[in-house]
Each structure stands twice: as structure tokens, then as C-alpha cells.
Amino acid sequence: MIDVVIPSPGESITEVTLGQWQRQAGDWVEKDDLLCEIESDKATLELLAPASGVFKPAVEGGSEQRVGAVVAKVDEKAARPAGREAAAAAPASSAAVAASNGGTSAATAAAAASGDRKVTPVARKLAADRGVDLARVEGTGPGGRVMREDVERNLGSTPAVPTSAPAKSTAVAVPSRAPTPASPAPVPGSRTARRERIPKIRQRIAERLVEAKLRAAMLTTFNECDMTEVMRLRNDHKDAFEKRHGVSLGFMSFFIRAAVSALRKYPKVNCYMFEEEFEFHDYCDIAVAVGTDRGLVVPVIRNAESLSFADIERTIRELATKARDGKLTVDEMTGGTFTVSNGGIYGNLMSTPILNTPQTGILGMHAIKKRAVEDPAHPGQVAIRPMMYLAMSYDHRVIDGAEAVGFLIHIKECIEKPERLLFDL
């Protein structure tokens, strides 16, 4: 018997919430098959089978467990079910055969069926296991991304992916995951209600936001910036940039470079505030707020002051993908000396971002809207320009109003005249 043990998601985490088991007692599992997800107050991790064998759960799914606890066992000495060996040799073009060979080939088969759609790895494997056609699944994640819950809602109602395995194949499909019971559709006029357990990560988010409101003397200052020049540069060079660096050129890299420049000019914004001391930083670790189906997370771009535009865009893409797939590690979300939050991607026009304590400042970006403003090239005349409201929340215990305003104006100047970023002005 091989023990299935709760791993440590990170330092200081002692308890996690066990997700629902994706295999039933007595099912055969292959090594590294997904057994369930475990959720802590900082990250969500996958619990994988440590060996091939018969699965024997020791605790109920959805329960609270201590790190290091044995929650299941795998009997690796059990006889492999008839047909498993044949499945390994069957053609890989069959979606059902691919599922019996494990996650990699199953994901490949599902990917072929779904084309270029954005699908999380967990959702892709579940679709392959259950024979769900991802082309028929509506994604509810960011940007239409297909999440695990979207696939679960389609279990039993979506036609299976057709297979091309020979008629004589003796392939045996992997035992399916137990689907999450779908909530019944509300009847018009009904007054039913239901309660759901708050995920640990959502509890932790709530604690930190309330802590920031209670502890910090938080104040927000606003400004606006003309995006004309940044948009011109992006349009002129985005194709060549992507061809040269293999990543798209977005607006975030401009704002992160501008923030780094401002942090060097105003070092108090780049420090931590503790009870009786400041902690100043000679480096700029920029935390970027990313919205996921599990809540807001803030992965960190380390040493942003030494990164190029391409390095920043590449890092943002990697961290955002891992965040939405639930693959971020605790280390990748720990630290950060300053935070940038882009509510504009949701169409937000203005907001007052909340500090990510013990940081002392956070920059809020918003939607770009064309507005009538004074033409900078022709004072006294009105022009239609693409404008963005900027917000900076700061801890007034550390940062004076003049410093906060100066910090935001510096970012505004770097965006309106992006050549300043080239000359470190």
C-alpha cells in the first residue's frame, strides 16, 4: 500500500481543504492521475496518484485535513484490470483510448476536438475522461476560458467525442470522475436559498482586505493620462515585436516600466510599513492583480527594474496562465513591493484599489475612453483623445499627499511621453 499524503503548499500553511475525490473507491488509477484538488488560503494544488494501483480513500472529500495527513492509499500490488495492457497499445487517434493512457494523450485528443479554444488542463483532462466535446461547452472563465465546472455542467448532456479505434479494440476507459451535482434551475417565483462553504483562498482574501482597511491610513489620489503616444508606438511595432520576441506587446509593460521609474524617484512607495519600522527595498518586485474563478491573486514579477519590455510581457503571460489554471505556487504569490491592478480589462472606468499590505502603494489602471480634452499640441483647442483614469491608493502613515501626487504625475508623464522610459527620465 502506498500512502497518499497531503503535501505542504508552502511555509506556514498547516491545514488545507480536500476537494471532492475524482476517483471512486476500488477504481484503478495510473501513476500521476489526478485524485482531487487541495485548497489552502494561498494556493490550489493537485493531489496526484503516487503509483499505479487500486484507489482506496481514507477520508471523505471536502473535509479539512492537516498537512502530512494520509488521506488515501493506492494498492500497487493489486492485479491490473483486464484490458489495460491492450489499451496502452491501441491507436492514439481514439479519444477513448487516449483517455485510458493517462493525462497527456487524453489532453491531446481533447485539444484536437476543441481546436484552439482556451481550456484549463483540469477541464481538458476531465473532458477526455468523460467523452465531453469541448466544442459544445461554453466557457465561463476569463476570456471565455473553459473551466472544470463548465465541463461538469455538461456531463451527461453533451454528445461524446467520436472515436476512431478499431471495432475489435479491447480498450477500457479510465473510471470517470464523480461529477459535482448540478444545482437545479430556479423556478420563477421560488424563494429557495442555498449555502456554500467559503473557499479558504476567498477567506484569506477577505481577511487581508479587511486588515488593510483597519490598519492602514489609506487614501486615493486620481489623475488621467493621454494614451495616444503609447497606442501609436504599440500599433507601429506590435507585429515586429511579436515576431522578434514571440510575445504580444501590451500596455501593461509600459505601466510597469513607468511604475519602476516612479518607485526609484519615490522610494517610500516601494517600502513595507510595519508597526514601528519601514523596510525599504533596493529592488522592484511588482505584483500584478489577476482575476480568476477562485478569486483575486497577485503573482509577482521579480526584479522588474532589470527586465525588458519583452521580459515583462513574457512573465505576465506565464503568470496569468498559471493563475487561471490554478498552478501558481506560494512563492510566486509571496512578496511584491508594489502592486498594479488593471480593472480596465473588465471595462471599469474608475475605482479606489485597496492596499496589498504591508505594501504602501497600489496603482489602478482603468478603461481607455475617447474624451474631449484640450489638445496638448494646440492649447485652447479641443481634441478627441484616448484617455485613461489612473488611481493610486497609498498609506498616509508613510507617504505624504505631495509624494503620492508626484508619483502619479511621474507615471502620467512616462505614459504620455514614453521616450522618457528609454532615457530613464
Side-chain angles (χ1 to χ4, degrees):
M1 289 285 189
I2 303 297
D3 291 338
V4 179
V5 179
I6 296 292
S8 174
E11 187 178 356
S12 78
I13 298 177
T14 60
E15 190 175 78
V16 300
T17 300
L18 192 69
Q20 295 300 320
W21 291 115
Q22 302 299 325
R23 295 289 186 269
Q24 298 178 1
D27 284 349
W28 180 270
V29 296
E30 298 289 348
K31 187 178 186 299
D32 293 332
D33 272 356
L34 176 64
L35 299 179
C36 72
E37 293 181 341
I38 56 175
E39 185 180 78
S40 71
D41 58 3
K42 295 182 179 179
T44 300
L45 304 176
E46 293 182 343
L47 187 61
L48 305 179
S52 298
V54 173
F55 174 63
K56 297 182 178 182
V59 299
E60 291 291 330
S63 58
E64 301 291 324
Q65 298 294 330
R66 304 284 295 180
V67 171
V70 176
V71 293
K73 293 180 181 293
V74 174
D75 186 357
E76 63 174 350
K77 295 184 178 180
R80 183 181 291 267
R84 299 295 295 192
E85 295 81 3
S93 58
S94 165
V97 175
S100 70
N101 287 335
T104 303
S105 54
T108 303
S114 61
D116 295 327
R117 298 195 64 194
K118 296 180 179 179
V119 186
T120 67
V122 172
R124 196 183 299 280
K125 188 172 188 300
L126 177 58
D129 288 349
R130 299 286 289 173
V132 174
D133 184 358
L134 288 173
R136 299 175 180 269
V137 179
E138 180 181 0
T140 60
R145 196 178 193 86
V146 177
M147 315 300 291
R148 179 192 63 189
E149 294 79 5
D150 302 326
V151 177
E152 291 174 341
R153 280 194 296 271
N154 283 266
L155 291 176
S157 61
T158 305
V161 179
T163 68
S164 57
K168 295 182 179 179
S169 172
T170 56
V172 178
V174 171
S176 61
R177 303 178 184 183
T180 301
S183 300
V187 178
S190 68
R191 294 177 56 79
T192 58
R194 68 180 188 276
R195 292 192 177 189
E196 296 180 359
R197 187 181 185 86
I198 301 176
K200 280 189 173 295
I201 190 170
R202 176 64 65 182
Q203 294 178 32
R204 182 56 176 164
I205 290 172
E207 290 172 2
R208 289 184 61 82
L209 294 179
V210 172
E211 179 185 4
K213 295 288 286 185
L214 292 176
R215 290 180 176 272
M218 193 163 60
L219 190 64
T220 304
T221 185
F222 299 92
N223 213 312
E224 63 179 354
C225 64
D226 187 337
M227 296 291 291
T228 300
E229 287 302 306
V230 165
M231 294 176 71
R232 180 187 64 79
L233 281 176
R234 181 173 180 269
N235 290 333
D236 288 350
H237 302 289
K238 63 180 181 180
D239 292 337
F241 184 91
E242 186 169 4
K243 184 177 180 181
R244 173 68 177 83
H245 300 290
V247 65
S248 299
L249 177 61
F251 295 128
M252 186 63 82
S253 53
F254 287 93
F255 279 93
I256 289 179
R257 287 289 297 270
V260 167
S261 178
L263 290 171
R264 286 178 166 176
K265 186 174 181 180
Y266 297 93
K268 283 186 179 180
V269 186
N270 197 41
C271 79
Y272 288 164
M273 171 66 178
F274 296 110
E275 292 297 332
E276 297 182 354
E277 61 182 7
F278 301 144
E279 180 180 298
F280 290 93
H281 305 103
D282 297 327
Y283 53 88
C284 299
D285 284 356
I286 308 297
V288 179
V290 178
T292 74
D293 60 325
R294 293 183 175 90
L296 188 70
V297 294
V298 279
V300 179
I301 301 174
R302 308 288 180 188
N303 289 104
E305 76 281 356
S306 63
L307 300 181
S308 66
F309 279 81
D311 292 331
I312 292 173
E313 292 290 353
R314 193 176 295 112
T315 304
I316 290 174
R317 183 180 66 178
E318 293 172 355
L319 291 174
T321 299
K322 294 178 72 174
R324 289 167 184 145
D325 291 344
K327 302 292 185 181
L328 282 174
T329 65
V330 174
D331 287 342
E332 289 171 326
M333 293 187 287
T334 301
T337 60
F338 183 76
T339 297
V340 176
S341 177
N342 183 10
I345 60 176
Y346 304 110
N348 189 19
L349 187 61
M350 184 176 288
S351 67
T352 55
I354 299 178
L355 288 172
N356 184 15
T357 55
Q359 296 173 21
T360 56
I362 179 173
L363 174 68
M365 300 165 54
H366 301 94
I368 301 172
K369 300 291 184 181
K370 290 184 178 180
R371 298 201 302 273
V373 296
E374 184 178 28
D375 190 342
H378 304 89
Q381 298 184 21
V382 174
I384 304 298
R385 313 280 282 197
M387 306 296 293
M388 176 191 287
Y389 286 121
L390 300 176
M392 180 195 169
S393 294
Y394 60 98
D395 192 336
H396 214 335
R397 297 176 300 172
V398 185
I399 303 166
D400 294 331
E403 293 174 304
V405 171
F407 181 92
L408 202 54
I409 288 177
H410 186 91
I411 290 180
K412 168 186 169 72
E413 292 173 342
C414 288
I415 296 300
E416 293 186 340
K417 296 181 179 179
E419 63 270 18
R420 293 173 61 93
L421 299 175
L422 300 177
F423 302 120
D424 196 21
L425 299 177

